[in-house]
Amino acid sequence: MEQKRIAAIVGSFRKNSYNRQLALAAKEIIGERAIFEIIDFADVPLMNQDFEHPAPEPVRRVREQIKAADGVWIFTPEYNHSYPGLLKNLIDWLSRPISKEERQVLSKKPIAISGASNGMGGTVTAQDLLVMLLSMLNARVMNFPRLRVPNVQEQANEQGLLVLTTSKPYLEKQADAFLKFIQE
Ligand code: FNR
């Protein structure tokens, strides 16, 4: 059987982003069980309908990566009790039909959501709002389990490296569940 592909989207461009580190930890846990690729979308411009057709090259590239993926795993911080604007911007681009013949790439796409923040809620509100947005786009969101990492700095060492002292077993459970979910 051909190996499944997971495309990871990280909602932070920060160099030492905890969410990026969480995505890298997930990649390690997934190992050989799937191809796990973190999507680079820092060059996707702000949405502007004037430039939608033809879509800018970075948008076309990311669309192809999402289209080719069997599942998308989003790792998001929480900004002011919501998901960051850069994630909304990317999803706004992805929400648009590619052409008259081809619908948008998130429709029916299996999606897992995780998030780390330095607050007590560990991105719960951002995740709930993301579920609402993705449901509107007819994505197939895995509602359980969803991983929240609260007070993330307490699970990092002095160098800011995420060691996931308490959250690692939950990340492992989510990885196992998502691998099953994308087979269904
Ligand atoms: C935050 N942060 C934050 N944390 C939280 O738990 N709830 C929140 O509502 C917010 N709001 C917020 C707004 C803005 C504009 C910033 C920049 C930050 C803190 C946030 O959780 C923390 O900076 C994380 O480390 C960001 O994730 P990355 O960049 O480490 O992946």
Side-chain angles (χ1 to χ4, degrees), residues 12 14 16-20 77-81 116-120 122-123 152:
S12 169
R14 198 167 73 83
N16 298 323
S17 159
Y18 290 122
N19 285 280
R20 190 177 174 81
E78 181 168 283
Y79 282 1
N80 298 309
H81 285 195
S117 79
N118 63 14
M120 274 167 60
T123 73
V152 63

